């Protein structure tokens, strides 16, 4: 693992075990870190400025490969038993992280679901990031390059459950690459490439 120091796209904390966090990087790897193993480096710091650095030894595992870029990596919000990633190789992947607390090796975190998905939004549009429903471990949303423009809802096993916005009274006309659920209500906000935010109830 040679590229852990490259740009980090997302950081997400496990919902039940806050000592674990997941990062997605531009070099194609999702890394799971154990914060208890983070070391302090005071060699080049003054007494009043001690910097905490994420030593490579703090990483429990690195999932993926260096032939793609990761746009996001998020633990499932209820149990943390799933890790949802979106990447430049046109796949959304869901890793089984149910044995994370046992400090299992990288081979333990198998790909539970792999969804073929066009993630090529282009140079000027924010990359897609599949995001979980905040109160469920079995549903997530992501933007779509398909026509008509829409936001797609998938189940944990990769089945398309719904396409939002394609048949509504105010149809989406551009790509919605940023999506966020309300933390407590069944409300979805989707931002499009034209600067509008669509709110779905």
């Amino acid at each position: 693992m040679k590229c852990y120091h490259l740009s980090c796209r997302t950081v997400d904390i496990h919902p039940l075990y806050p000592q674990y966090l997941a990062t997605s990087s531009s070099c194609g790897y999702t890394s799971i870190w154990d914060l208890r193993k983070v070391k302090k480096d005071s060699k080049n710091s003054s007494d009043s400025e001690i910097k905490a650095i994420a030593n490579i030894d703090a990483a429990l595992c690195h999932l993926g490969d260096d032939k793609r870029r990761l746009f996001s990596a998020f633990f499932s919000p209820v149990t943390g038993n799933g890790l949802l990633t979106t990447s430049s190789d046109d796949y959304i992947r869901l890793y089984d992280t149910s044995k994370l607390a046992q400090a299992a090796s990288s081979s333990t975190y198998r790909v539970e679901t792999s969804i073929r998905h066009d993630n090529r939004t282009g140079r000027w549009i924010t990359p897609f990031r599949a995001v979980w429903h905040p109160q469920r471990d079995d549903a997530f949303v992501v933007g779509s390059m398909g026509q008509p423009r829409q936001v797609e809802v998938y189940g944990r096993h990769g089945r398309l459950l719904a396409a939002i916005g394609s048949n509504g009274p105010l149809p989406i006309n551009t790509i919605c690459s940023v999506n966020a659920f309300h933390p407590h209500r069944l409300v979805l906000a989707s931002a499009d490439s034209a600067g509008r935010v669509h709110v779905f109830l």
Side-chain angles (χ1 to χ4, degrees), residues 62-131:
H62 305 286
L63 309 173
D65 60 65
D66 57 7
K67 296 179 179 146
R68 55 190 169 93
R69 289 177 294 130
L70 264 292
F71 300 135
S72 62
F74 300 114
F75 285 113
S76 56
V78 179
T79 64
N81 288 343
L83 183 69
L84 184 66
T85 68
T86 312
S87 68
S88 63
D89 67 350
D90 291 339
Y91 276 93
I92 296 171
R93 292 179 178 88
L94 177 60
Y95 291 88
D96 179 359
T97 53
S98 59
K99 297 182 180 178
L100 178 60
Q102 301 172 19
S105 63
S106 299
S107 60
T108 305
Y109 307 111
R110 63 179 178 83
V111 176
E112 179 182 309
T113 304
S114 184
I115 305 168
R116 181 77 177 171
H117 190 270
D118 185 356
N119 294 327
R120 291 166 289 177
T121 57
R123 183 175 180 182
W124 307 111
I125 299 177
T126 303
F128 289 142
R129 293 177 176 179
V131 295

Side-chain angles (χ1 to χ4, degrees), residues 103-183:
S105 63
S106 299
S107 60
T108 305
Y109 307 111
R110 63 179 178 83
V111 176
E112 179 182 309
T113 304
S114 184
I115 305 168
R116 181 77 177 171
H117 190 270
D118 185 356
N119 294 327
R120 291 166 289 177
T121 57
R123 183 175 180 182
W124 307 111
I125 299 177
T126 303
F128 289 142
R129 293 177 176 179
V131 295
W132 293 98
H133 185 292
Q135 299 168 4
R136 304 182 61 142
D137 276 4
D138 60 353
F140 58 88
V141 300
V142 66
S144 173
M145 295 298 294
Q147 293 282 2
R149 298 303 187 197
Q150 57 197 2
V151 177
E152 297 168 339
V153 182
Y154 285 91
R156 185 174 181 120
H157 298 294
R159 186 166 66 93
L160 181 64
L161 302 178
I164 302 172
S166 57
N167 299 315
L170 297 172
I172 299 172
N173 296 319
T174 54
I175 300 166
C176 285
S177 56
V178 179
N179 298 281
F181 278 102
H182 189 283

